[in-house]
Amino acid sequence: MTLSQATAVQPADGLYFRACNLCEAICGLQLTVKGGVVTDVRGDVNDPLSHGHICPKGAVIADIHTDPDRLKVPMRRDGETWTELGWDEALDHVVARLREVQAKYGPDSVAVYQGNPSVHNSGTLLSAGGFVRALGSRSRYSATSMDQLPHHFAAAEMFGHPLMLPIPDIDRTDYFLMLGANPLASNGSIMTAPGMRGRLKAVRERGGKVVLIDPRRTESAEVADEHHFIRPGSDALLLLALLNVIFAEQLDQPGRLAELTDGLAELRRVAAGFTPEKVARATGVDAATLQRLAREFAAAPRAVAYGRIGLSLQAFGGLCQWLLNVLNLVTGNLDREGGAMWPLPAFDLLGRAKKGQTYHHRFFSRVRGLPEFDGELPVAALAEEFLTPGEGQLRAFVTVAGNPVLSTPDGDKLDAALADAEFMVSIDPYLNATTRRADVILPPAVGLETQHYDVVFHHFAVRNTARISDPIFPIGEHQRFDFQIFEGLRQRLSGETGSTPDERLELGLQHGPRRTSLAALRAAPHGTDYGPMMPCLPERLLTAEGRINAAPAPMLADLVRLEAVLSAEVPDLVLIGRRQLRSNNSWMHNVPRLMRGPERCTLMLNAVDAARLNIRGGQSVEVRSRVGTVTVPAEITDALMPGVVSLPHGFGHGKAGVRLGVAAAHAGASANDLTDPALLDELTGNTAASGVPVTLRGLEAAQESAAD
Ligand SMILES: Nc1nc2c(c(=O)[nH]1)N[C@H]1C(S)=C(S)[C@@H](COP(=O)(O)OP(=O)(O)OC[C@H]3O[C@@H](n4cnc5c(=O)[nH]c(N)nc54)[C@H](O)[C@@H]3O)O[C@H]1N2
Ligand SMILES: Nc1nc2c(c(=O)[nH]1)N[C@H]1C(S)=C(S)[C@@H](COP(=O)(O)OP(=O)(O)OC[C@H]3O[C@@H](n4cnc5c(=O)[nH]c(N)nc54)[C@H](O)[C@@H]3O)O[C@H]1N2
Ligand code: SF4
Ligand SMILES: [Mo]
C-alpha cells in the first residue's frame, strides 16, 4: 500500500489479531476496533504459544498509538526550540552533517547506539544494519553490553555462534533452577514463554520442583518451592560448587553428548577447587543447601538451570552463563526434552551462519582498551570515548530506539558528553532524556502501525511457532517507518538501495527450515504451530570442529578473577536492580493507565539495614556510589537480603527538554546515575550494574523526628 492510500482508510470496525511487540513474551493479542479506536484488548486464546496470556502493558498497547507526546514528523533543534522539517530535507541534512563530521575526524568519529526496541520491530531489525554499514563507523554500541552479552559470549565459545542460546524447555522439565530472573515481572527473557505463572505452576503440578536464587524474594518466589538469598555477583561460585558436588559424587552423566564434548576432564579439575564449604561465606548460601541442590538437580529425571539478567549484568556474567550451560550439559540435560534446547524458527538466523568464526576481542576501545564483541564495543566505554580528547575521539552520535542516558552506566556523564557533541540524530518517536540532546529527531511509525515478525524471539521461544502481524492503523502521509528512514539514510550515504524487510522476510521464510512464506503465515492469523523444541546436536553446532567446547580458554583464564572474591571483603551495602510489571525499561512511563498507584521508583532495603542506618519507610534517602548520587524514598521490606538495596532502572524523566508529560509527573531518579562504568564483567565487557557498592544517608530526619 502506498503512503497516500494509507491515509485514506481508517481501520474498519471489528476484531484484529497481532503479536504484542512490547516484550519478549510476544503474546498474541485480540484487539477490538470501533469507530477508528481500539476499545478492547485481550489475549488471543488461539495463539499456540501464549494461549490468551496478556499483561497490563499489552492491555494498553493502543495508548502508545494515541499518546499526544508521540512524535510523527522530523524535527530540528535550535537551542531549546524545535521546528518541524520535511522528510527529504531532514534526511539530507542528517547525512550532510554525519559526512561532515566523518570527513573532519574520521569514519569512526560517529558512534551508533541501538536500543532494545530495535529487536522488537522487524522493520528496524532488518534495515538498521544496512544504514550502519553505509555509515562505515566501527564505533558501534547497543543495549547488549548492558544486558545479554555474556549469554552470547558463552554460546559463541561453547557452540560456535552468539545466537546458539540454549532455551529452557520449561513445559517438560521436572526441576527448574532459576537464578537472577524474575519472569513474573519481566514475563521471561531469553525464554519466550508467555504466562510464566501458569508454566511454573505446571512444573509443580506434575511433581516437579522450582528453585529460585535471588538476593530479593521476588514475585517469582511466590510460585517457587524454594527461594534462597545469594550475595550479588557470587553466582559463579555457587554454580561451581554445584558442579563440585556433582563430580565428587559421580552424579555427572552427560550421556550421548559426552563424545561430542571437549574439556570435560578440565571442568572436573576446575570444579574440584570450589567445594560448597569454600563458597558458602561469599555466596551466603550454606554448604548443606548447596549439596542438596546439586544432588536434587542431578537426580531429577529432567532438569534445567536458567539464569537471566541478575546473572549477566554482574561482574562474572560470562562465567555464569558458561557454568549454567555446563551444569545442564554434565547432567545430561542439554539438547534433550525438559532440559535446555534450541528452537528451530521459520526464519532461522543461524541457517546460513559460518562455522568456526571468532566473535570477540578483534578490536578494542580507544581509551580503556575494552573488548569488542560481534562488532560492538561495551556501552561502559561510550561517555569516555566522547569526553577524552585525542585522535579517534567521538564527535557525533546516532541513537536508534534507545535511551542510553537512562539505561547505561553513569548516564549523567553521558548526558553531559552529548551536550557537547558536534551532531546528534535520534531515530525515535519520543523526546526522552537522551533524544532531547539530538539536533535532529526522525520519529518512525511504531507499534500498531507496523508490520512485524519476531525474527529474534522465535529463537528464544520454548515452543516453535510463527506469526506475522499486519498493521492495524494506517500511517499518515507525513509519517515514515523505521525501514524507510534507514533506507533513506543509506541511499544518501552510499547511493545503494537494499532489499525491503518484506523481501528479506519472504526469502528467509521460503528458504528456512519450515519452507513457508508471508502468505502462508498470513493465512493463519493466530499463528502457526510447529511443535516443541527438538534435539538438534551435533547437526547445528557451529564450532570449527563441530564439537562442544565445555572448557573454553577465556573462561578458564577468568577463574583467577573469581577466586579473588572468595577472600575479598564484602562491601557494606550493594545496589541491585529490579523490574516492574507495569514498566518497560525507560519508555512506557508515559502511559497514564500504567502509572496509577503508589510511587514505584523506591529504594528497597531490609529492616536490619534500615535500623542500622536509622532510615524509616517513606523517608527520602540519598544513595551515593563512586560516580553519583540520587535521592529516592525508602521502602523497607524483608524481601531484600541484608546488605543489598534495590532500585528499578528506567526512571529519571525530570530533565529539562524531555517531552513526556505523564512520565515527567512520575520522574523518579535514574539507577544509572549510580552504576559505574568502571565495574565490568571484564571477560565480556558487559556492565556490572548489579552489585554496585553504595552508601545511604537519610534526609529530612530532623523534621520527621520532630513530628514523632
Ligand atoms: N541499572 C540497570 N540498567 C539497565 C538495566 C538494568 O536491569 N539495570 N537493563 C538494561 C537492559 S536489559 C536493557 S534492554 C536496556 C534498555 O535500554 P535502551 O534500549 O537504551 O532503552 P529503552 O528504555 O528500551 O528505550 C527505548 C526507546 O525506543 C523507542 N522506541 C520504541 N519503539 C520503537 C520503534 O519501533 N522504533 C524506534 N526507532 N524507536 C522505538 C522508545 O521511544 C524509547 O525511547 O536498559 C539496560 N539498563
Ligand atoms: N515488565 C517488564 N518486563 C520486562 C522489562 C521491563 O523493563 N519491564 N524489560 C525486558 C528486558 S529488556 C529484559 S532484558 C528482561 C529481563 O528479564 P529478567 O532477568 O527476568 O528481569 P529482572 O526482573 O530484572 O530479574 C532479574 C533478577 O535478578 C536479581 N539479581 C540481581 N543481582 C543478582 C545476582 O547477583 N545474582 C542473582 N542470582 N540474582 C540477582 C534481581 O533481584 C532480579 O529479581 O525483562 C524484559 N521484560
Ligand atoms: S507479557 Fe509482554 S508480550 Fe505479553 S502482553 Fe505483556 S508486554 Fe505484551
Ligand atoms: Mo534487555
Side-chain angles (χ1 to χ4, degrees):
M1 154 171 23
T2 70
L3 288 171
S4 52
Q5 276 169 332
T7 42
V9 266
Q10 271 299 325
D13 287 2
L15 291 184
Y16 291 80
F17 298 94
R18 62 179 278 138
C20 178
N21 70 326
L22 296 174
C23 90
E24 296 179 42
I26 64 173
C27 300
L29 300 180
Q30 172 189 301
L31 300 100
T32 307
V33 173
K34 270 191 201 134
V37 292
V38 174
T39 56
D40 180 70
V41 184
R42 55 189 68 188
D44 179 358
V45 289
N46 294 315
D47 183 293
L49 184 63
S50 65
H51 304 288
H53 178 74
I54 186 169
C55 86
K57 292 184 298 301
V60 298
I61 192 168
D63 293 23
I64 298 166
H65 179 70
T66 54
D67 187 344
D69 287 334
R70 180 160 73 96
L71 309 175
K72 294 181 179 163
V73 290
M75 297 201 306
R76 180 173 171 173
R77 187 168 55 81
D78 183 12
E80 303 304 307
T81 29
W82 289 91
T83 33
E84 293 186 356
L85 293 181
W87 281 99
D88 282 333
E89 189 189 356
L91 295 172
D92 287 345
H93 176 71
V94 166
V95 167
R97 292 290 283 129
L98 291 174
R99 283 303 191 217
E100 195 182 307
V101 170
Q102 287 185 311
K104 215 157 132 193
Y105 305 108
D108 299 334
S109 61
V110 178
V112 181
Y113 173 89
Q114 287 184 260
N116 170 279
S118 316
V119 191
H120 292 268
N121 176 335
S122 49
T124 324
L125 184 79
L126 296 171
S127 62
F131 155 69
V132 175
R133 276 190 298 279
L135 185 64
S137 167
R138 230 169 44 160
S139 305
R140 291 175 49 199
Y141 299 82
S142 81
T144 291
S145 51
M146 194 69 193
D147 189 347
Q148 81 287 6
L149 171 52
H151 295 248
H152 295 313
F153 195 101
E157 285 294 318
M158 297 180 72
F159 312 119
H161 194 283
L163 263 179
M164 277 287 286
L165 302 178
I167 307 302
D169 187 9
I170 181 74
D171 296 338
R172 293 182 291 183
T173 198
D174 303 303
Y175 198 99
F176 191 51
L177 175 62
M178 175 161 67
L179 304 94
N182 185 10
L184 262 65
S186 70
N187 280 296
S189 181
I190 314 202
M191 174 178 61
T192 288
M196 273 301 286
R197 181 185 291 276
R199 290 180 203 261
L200 290 172
K201 264 174 77 182
V203 176
R204 302 174 67 189
E205 277 161 16
R206 60 179 176 262
K209 188 165 181 178
V210 176
V211 177
L212 176 64
I213 313 279
D214 196 304
R216 180 163 76 91
R217 197 170 57 251
T218 60
E219 296 84 345
S220 298
E222 291 164 25
V223 287
D225 293 88
E226 279 180 35
H227 164 256
H228 300 281
F229 284 140
I230 184 164
R231 294 280 325 155
S234 68
D235 302 82
L237 292 171
L238 176 142
L239 293 167
L240 279 163
L242 299 185
L243 287 167
N244 175 284
V245 175
I246 286 167
F247 284 127
E249 302 186 0
Q250 287 159 16
L251 304 173
D252 54 311
Q253 40 175 341
R256 73 180 170 92
L257 295 189
E259 54 193 59
L260 263 185
T261 304
D262 296 320
L264 286 171
E266 195 64 15
L267 270 184
R268 181 184 295 271
R269 189 188 61 74
V270 162
F274 295 87
T275 59
E277 292 74 18
K278 203 165 161 186
V279 308
R281 188 194 68 96
T283 58
V285 185
D286 63 81
T289 301
L290 292 169
Q291 244 155 24
R292 178 174 58 78
L293 292 177
R295 289 172 188 152
E296 283 180 9
F297 190 89
R302 301 170 300 182
V304 62
Y306 160 79
R308 199 35 200 111
I309 206 151
L311 267 74
S312 53
L313 206 55
Q314 58 146 283
F316 299 99
L319 289 181
C320 283
Q321 297 304 333
W322 164 54
L323 292 167
L324 285 165
N325 291 341
V326 160
L327 185 58
N328 291 326
L329 168 69
V330 301
T331 53
N333 286 300
L334 187 68
D335 197 38
R336 81 122 176 238
E337 208 178 287
M341 306 187 77
W342 285 275
L344 186 62
F347 187 97
D348 182 12
L349 289 167
L350 296 172
R352 289 169 59 198
K354 288 200 200 88
K355 277 191 166 183
Q357 301 283 100
T358 302
Y359 292 94
H360 62 85
H361 292 69
R362 291 166 299 184
F363 57 95
F364 297 86
S365 71
R366 173 183 64 110
V367 177
R368 247 194 301 167
L370 300 184
E372 158 269 0
F373 182 86
D374 206 9
E376 292 182 3
L377 289 165
V379 280
L382 192 49
E384 70 201 17
E385 292 295 332
F386 271 104
L387 290 168
T388 313
E391 174 93 27
Q393 183 181 2
L394 292 178
R395 307 288 184 154
F397 198 32
V398 182
T399 71
V400 178
N403 193 359
V405 165
L406 297 190
S407 54
T408 67
D410 202 356
D412 242 357
K413 187 169 172 188
L414 178 64
D415 189 38
L418 297 181
D420 290 337
E422 293 205 7
F423 181 70
M424 174 169 161
V425 55
S426 293
I427 293 109
D428 200 290
Y430 284 106
L431 271 180
N432 62 29
T434 304
T435 60
R436 74 192 176 106
R437 291 293 190 197
D439 297 285
V440 176
I441 182 154
L442 303 172
V446 294
L448 303 180
E449 297 164 332
T450 61
Q451 177 186 286
H452 178 61
Y453 171 85
D454 279 294
V455 171
V456 168
F457 299 111
H458 288 299
H459 271 282
F460 299 170
V462 299
R463 188 174 179 90
N464 292 309
T465 67
R467 181 167 184 150
I468 181 91
S469 298
D470 282 317
I472 297 177
F473 290 96
I475 63 169
E477 251 174 293
H478 53 287
Q479 286 181 276
R480 294 290 182 276
F481 295 107
D482 276 291
F483 74 86
Q484 294 174 311
I485 297 171
F486 289 121
E487 191 56 25
L489 293 171
R490 171 197 168 122
Q491 280 174 17
R492 284 168 175 80
L493 283 166
S494 67
E496 286 166 20
T497 47
S499 49
T500 66
D502 248 23
E503 289 163 346
R504 299 191 58 189
L505 273 177
E506 187 70 273
L507 207 67
L509 291 170
Q510 289 186 8
H511 296 277
R514 311 294 176 183
R515 297 274 183 269
T516 184
S517 65
L518 285 170
L521 294 187
R522 282 212 169 84
H526 305 287
T528 304
D529 189 16
Y530 302 111
M533 292 183 280
M534 303 285 281
C536 67
L537 300 191
E539 292 76 19
R540 296 190 75 199
L541 283 172
L542 286 162
T543 47
E545 315 75 23
R547 297 173 59 76
I548 298 172
N549 186 359
M555 273 68 178
L556 297 181
D558 200 35
L559 287 169
V560 179
R561 209 166 51 90
L562 180 68
E563 260 159 29
V565 175
L566 288 171
S567 50
E569 219 175 289
V570 175
D572 220 20
L573 273 186
V574 294
L575 176 74
I576 63 168
R578 70 176 186 272
R579 279 181 165 69
Q580 300 167 321
L581 188 57
R582 289 181 300 143
S583 289
N584 199 10
N585 298 316
S586 78
W587 78 279
M588 284 182 69
H589 293 145
N590 212 45
V591 178
R593 286 196 272 174
L594 293 176
M595 299 311 287
R596 289 188 193 135
E599 186 168 352
R600 299 209 300 266
C601 186
T602 59
L603 185 83
M604 284 185 170
L605 76 164
N606 185 282
V608 178
D609 294 317
R612 180 167 61 89
L613 298 164
N614 199 17
I615 289 169
R616 270 167 298 164
Q619 186 180 351
S620 282
V621 229
E622 192 183 82
V623 191
R624 185 181 290 270
S625 74
R626 185 188 74 89
V627 302
T629 307
V630 302
T631 301
V632 281
E635 180 180 342
I636 296 169
T637 165
D638 67 354
L640 224 70
M641 185 178 192
V644 182
V645 296
S646 151
L647 191 64
H649 75 284
F651 285 91
H653 308 293
K655 292 184 192 290
V658 170
R659 198 182 290 178
L660 294 163
V662 178
H666 305 266
S670 176
N672 287 316
D673 288 344
L674 297 170
T675 56
D676 187 342
L679 300 178
L680 286 174
D681 172 18
E682 282 156 32
L683 172 62
T684 64
N686 209 38
T687 303
S690 198
V692 177
V694 290
T695 54
L696 306 186
R697 186 166 72 91
L699 304 177
E700 302 158 14
Q703 295 97 305
E704 284 186 35
S705 52
D708 279 349

